[in-house]
Amino acid sequence: MRKFALIIFAVMIFSGESLAAPSMNLQDLDFNRVNPIVRIKDITEVEGARENQLTGVGLVTGLPGTGDNSNMTTQMMRNMMRNFGVTLDARSVRTRNIAVVSLTATLPPYARPGQAIDVNVSTMGNASSLQGGVLLQAPLRAADGKVYAVAQGPLLVGGFNTQSGGNSRTKNVPTVGRIPGGALVEREVPSDYYMGGQVALLLRNPDFTTAQRISDAINRQFGAISKPADAGRVEIFLPGNYVAAPTAFLAYVEKLEIEPDTGAKVAVNERTGTVVLGGNVKISSVAVAHGNLTVSVGESPVAIQNENENERQVVFQNRTDITTEEDGSSMVAMPATSTVRDMVRVLNSLGSSPRDIIEILQTIEKAGALHGELVTM
């Protein structure tokens, strides 16, 4: 017998006076503060001080027979040995202990030559594991084609791959590794964050209200020296006593605290059943009915006589029986003043799973009762 579980959600919009929430006690909840007080440092970045991505290609040696056997590996090995004055024939190169890898790193702002940065390493060919390997010296380039760092060193791999006869066992991903502090910075990237007595702060989550609050907090301390250029940028003119010391000024500004503002959003991920609801989300007066309907479909053979001119035949056909059973459902009303916190409490009281909540939210949004952006990931 096959069973198909169908979950029915009914959402109806009523006037605020016709429905009440007898099980809700909103007096014990504080809806006044949705966002915490944070430092300006935690929600902004200084314009001109940015990270840069570096990439490269290298060879990992010392692998216990888990390397590549591709033509790319052979060619790179011959090229490397040619730099040392050694000429190799393609047929004499054995590459099972060598792997061609891609290298990625992030060059942080204000990095100076001689500083060390981390390097991520991943296989490019058919190597089965990088465990025990050592990366040979390889340059790391930026988008402009210039070398900004050089990587080298033993790999740390968070997995393993063992084989014996026809059996094998793999844990995590052994084809990806990391070299902490494995690259030395060779070239400095200029950070022009201070130009003409002016600096700018970039918001990680652009918002007009938050930008205005940042500007107001700075102006309260130093006078009218800043203004929001748009939702993602706040311009600041350094006061006279800080013109020669912009670093000291930014260090002071970073410690100022504000309450950021965010848009009303609900993010759902149907693949994992994850629901993240922002505190600013409000809903109109709704009544949510939640019920479980189970439909059972069964097939049983039935004998049927098939008569023709010559003989009688007995044939069997499948008869389909359908039965339905509905569990006890419930309906909970929510007033128009309800916030997402009220909604979560109600849905939990119904015994709804995260995937049930996703369906309910989507239905509420279609009914026009969800006042916020529903983001499906």
Side-chain angles (χ1 to χ4, degrees), residues 131-160:
Q131 187 177 14
V134 176
L135 174 69
L136 299 182
Q137 188 181 76
L140 299 177
R141 305 175 187 272
D144 57 4
K146 297 180 181 180
V147 176
Y148 285 86
V150 176
Q152 180 176 287
L155 276 69
L156 294 179
V157 179
F160 63 84

Side-chain angles (χ1 to χ4, degrees), residues 129-133 155-160 171 173-178:
S129 176
L130 293 177
Q131 187 177 14
L155 276 69
L156 294 179
V157 179
F160 63 84
K171 181 179 181 181
V173 183
T175 55
V176 176
R178 185 176 179 83

Side-chain angles (χ1 to χ4, degrees), residues 3-7 293-295:
K3 292 186 177 180
F4 301 93
L6 305 179
I7 301 178
L293 177 65
T294 301
V295 179

